Amino acid sequence: MFLKSKGFQLCLAIGLGIIVFLLPRPEGTKFEVSGDADRVLYNSLSLHFNLIPDDKNPQHYILEAKTPGATEARHSFILEKAGALKLENVSVEYGNGLSPRAKRFLAVLVVLVFMFVSEPIPLELTAICIGVSLVAFGITDVKTAWAPYMHPVVVFIMCCLIFAISLDKAGITKRLGYFIIKKAGTSVTKFTFIIAIGLGLASAVMHDAAACAIGIVTMLPLMRAAGIEPNSRTAKFMMLSLPFACSCGGMGTLMGGGRCMVSAAFLKEFTGIEITFFEWIKYCMPAAILTVPVAVLIVYFVYRPNPKYKLPQFDEEIGPLTALEIKTVTIIGLTFCLWLTKGFHGIHYSITGMFGVTALVLFGVLKWEDINDNLEWGTALFIFGGGISLGLAMGYSGAAKYFAYLFFPLVQGGGWLLLFVGVGVFGALVTNAMANVAAAALILPIVIPMALLEGVDPTVLALCLGTATSFAMLLVIGCPPNAIAYSYRYFKSADLTRVGVVATPILLLILILVATTWWKFLGLV
């Protein structure tokens, strides 16, 4: 009982953070210098460092220590030299070492991740602690720490949740539930497989967060009518199947998730190679079609539903669409069209989403009280916003770059498959601590040059990251569908982690299988 007490768990989390903070800090051997085009700093340090120039950017070069571990091979020594030379515009960053700021971040990260899994305090408070910790430990300033809590992605998630509220109020979700029950009968298992796989595959052409929100508000009234209690195995099966399926389905097309768009955009930016919309479907849709049902199946085996629960039957015909339903479907449908055509008009999803929310209020579908009373503000603003803040801090603190330098040499020289596996595993792990869009944007600039050096088509790694970062299944903050599903409190954070630990390696194996068979058949690898 004592081991499960919240006080003990909180002390354990802090203790883990202290241990990480006290561990030795690797200084590294390479340091990145910017703003020194005339090499003034290097000329004063040439006795201790070798120069690695950057051919594309004369303002940037790398200093490699000749005698690692010596006092003259440290970051602080370079800074002292720059100060003595009064080089005010020169910046010196750690290359393959861990900066003091990155180490403080890792100590904070360990504490927060443990708290996200064990929940010694409500997750909303843990999420607020992210911003507080980043400032308190000098990892960033106040403005940078809090800004992600109103990140455009957070606004977009709020739009998805509000659309789900309107669909529920108009009766559309009841109609969807009626349609599925007509096909599946009263079986909880059949119903969940149909709605999760259906919306999971639909996530390829709509955002996975929107698909997940629609599915959950369809499920909830039926779960309540069937007497399914929160935190029961049946509730966990139903509520976790949707986010897992929707995350997997989003990899099917370029519009399914921002991570796919970012991967394609970075590939073109760094190599000039363009993946077209239909090429992405050709390579990735088979992986989506395979992983969506497998993800649901894994959740089923981990949390087998109790067969005693039966969903209610509809005794009467549901009738034609009402005027309120038509207005709701029309407004949300037009908003989806604007989301799907973002590549043409360029207006961000959060802006067009809020246009839709405004239209729902103006045309009488929703009142402000409906939004205020039913929107899970804590989930949208704090949990996912905090996750974005934590993920961005991983990047600007230097911790992500350190892990990249630590991890990727292990796969160098092993050919495309080893590089693919390494990038896929790294991407799937990193994306649990940051938005998958940010994970793809952070890792691609590092691995594309590696692919070119290895003689591997960088298209393979762009596709790998766009798909592997869909498996953000270890933490609630990993992706919007997780956070949306958690907001209804039908499972605990640790329940998601438990099934995510099983699902992530299996889904990665399926992705590798697709790459080694289907991509090989298409001649990509």
Side-chain angles (χ1 to χ4, degrees):
M1 184 62 73
F2 172 72
L3 296 179
K4 292 184 178 179
S5 68
K6 296 189 181 303
F8 174 76
Q9 290 174 347
L10 197 57
C11 290
L12 186 58
I14 295 171
L16 289 172
I18 292 172
I19 290 172
V20 171
F21 185 75
L22 294 177
L23 288 174
R25 182 177 64 82
E27 178 76 6
T29 58
K30 295 180 180 177
F31 303 93
E32 297 177 355
V33 179
S34 300
D36 185 27
D38 297 329
R39 307 287 195 267
V40 175
L41 181 59
Y42 165 68
N43 291 333
S44 70
L45 293 167
S46 57
L47 284 177
H48 309 293
F49 291 93
N50 293 318
L51 177 70
I52 303 176
D54 183 347
D55 296 334
K56 293 182 179 178
N57 182 8
Q59 296 278 337
H60 177 264
Y61 60 84
I62 295 174
L63 293 175
E64 186 174 30
K66 293 180 180 178
T67 53
T71 305
E72 294 80 8
R74 301 184 69 82
H75 181 267
S76 56
F77 182 78
I78 303 174
L79 284 183
E80 287 174 12
K81 278 290 180 185
L85 294 169
K86 298 182 178 178
L87 299 173
E88 296 178 354
N89 296 323
V90 172
S91 68
V92 183
E93 301 292 336
Y94 282 81
N96 55 355
L98 187 67
S99 69
R101 186 166 69 149
K103 190 181 177 188
R104 291 197 299 275
F105 169 78
L106 291 179
V108 169
L109 179 67
V110 167
V111 175
L112 292 169
V113 167
F114 188 86
M115 289 170 65
F116 268 114
V117 175
S118 60
E119 292 186 74
I121 58 175
L123 288 197
E124 287 81 357
L125 285 178
T126 302
I128 292 172
C129 287
I130 292 172
V132 174
S133 304
L134 294 178
V135 177
F137 288 90
I139 299 166
T140 188
D141 57 62
V142 175
K143 188 176 179 182
T144 307
W146 292 121
Y149 288 79
M150 194 46 81
H151 191 278
V153 175
V154 173
V155 178
F156 171 74
I157 292 173
M158 289 170 60
C159 294
C160 294
L161 290 170
I162 294 170
F163 285 174
I165 293 168
S166 68
L167 288 170
D168 194 36
K169 183 181 178 185
I172 298 293
T173 53
K174 182 181 178 183
R175 187 176 293 278
L176 179 60
Y178 174 86
F179 174 77
I180 297 174
I181 283 179
K182 282 291 183 186
K183 300 291 181 185
T186 58
S187 167
V188 167
T189 303
K190 284 185 181 177
F191 177 87
T192 306
F193 267 88
I194 289 175
I195 193 169
I197 292 174
L199 286 172
L201 295 175
S203 294
V205 292
M206 66 169 76
H207 200 282
D208 50 14
C212 184
I214 291 170
I216 286 176
V217 293
T218 303
M219 274 185 172
L220 276 178
L222 298 172
M223 292 173 70
R224 289 170 184 146
I228 297 172
E229 294 292 329
N231 297 312
S232 64
R233 295 178 68 84
T234 306
K236 292 171 188 174
F237 165 62
M238 298 182 78
M239 295 297 280
L240 284 168
S241 293
L242 267 172
F244 277 36
C246 292
S247 293
C248 292
M251 73 171 78
T253 73
L254 276 175
M255 69 176 70
R259 55 198 179 274
C260 306
M261 285 283 190
V262 165
S263 298
F266 270 64
L267 179 68
K268 186 173 183 183
E269 177 73 22
F270 283 93
T271 66
I273 300 171
E274 182 171 7
I275 305 177
T276 65
F277 184 82
F278 291 103
E279 282 176 332
W280 189 281
I281 292 176
K282 183 175 68 176
Y283 293 125
C284 300
M285 186 57 86
I289 292 172
L290 287 173
T291 53
V292 166
V294 169
V296 182
L297 200 61
I298 292 168
V299 181
Y300 170 78
F301 281 119
V302 175
Y303 297 115
R304 280 180 181 272
N306 190 332
K308 79 173 186 181
Y309 290 112
K310 298 293 180 188
L311 297 177
Q313 287 184 314
F314 291 88
D315 296 328
E316 54 190 31
E317 291 297 321
I318 201 135
L321 287 171
T322 64
L324 186 63
E325 286 176 309
I326 292 172
K327 277 194 291 186
T328 307
V329 170
T330 302
I331 292 169
I332 295 179
L334 288 173
T335 308
F336 272 132
C337 290
L338 289 172
W339 286 348
L340 295 177
T341 54
K342 178 181 177 293
F344 297 102
H345 55 71
I347 305 174
H348 192 267
Y349 302 107
S350 59
I351 302 300
T352 46
M354 278 301 168
F355 275 139
V357 171
T358 305
L360 287 171
V361 176
L362 287 176
F363 286 91
V365 177
L366 287 177
K367 295 178 181 177
W368 172 250
E369 289 76 15
D370 297 321
I371 300 172
N372 191 47
D373 294 344
N374 296 296
L375 182 62
E376 292 292 338
W377 298 96
T379 299
L381 291 176
F382 299 138
I383 294 181
F384 197 68
I388 294 175
S389 184
L390 192 64
L392 293 177
M394 190 168 184
Y396 59 67
S397 71
K401 190 168 67 175
Y402 170 73
F403 281 118
Y405 274 109
L406 193 69
F407 181 75
F408 287 118
L410 301 176
V411 297
Q412 273 185 304
W416 80 268
L417 183 57
L418 190 58
L419 195 58
F420 180 94
V421 172
V423 170
V425 171
F426 188 67
L429 293 176
V430 167
T431 194
N432 282 281
M434 65 177 69
N436 41 28
V437 175
L442 186 70
I443 300 171
L444 267 173
I446 300 170
V447 299
I448 284 178
M450 288 182 60
L452 295 172
L453 287 173
E454 291 280 296
V456 175
D457 185 345
T459 306
V460 175
L461 296 188
L463 291 168
C464 172
L465 268 178
T467 49
T469 49
S470 300
F471 306 140
M473 298 170 173
L474 297 177
L475 295 178
V476 168
I477 57 173
C479 63
N482 292 356
I484 289 172
Y486 174 80
S487 68
Y488 294 92
R489 300 296 191 274
Y490 270 72
F491 60 87
K492 293 182 178 177
S493 177
D495 298 324
L496 184 142
T497 304
R498 190 172 297 120
V499 68
V501 168
V502 179
T504 303
I506 293 174
L507 297 173
L508 278 171
L509 283 174
I510 293 175
L511 186 60
I512 294 167
L513 180 68
V514 170
T516 52
T517 54
W518 180 241
W519 293 7
K520 194 174 186 65
F521 175 75
L522 295 175
L524 181 64
V525 296

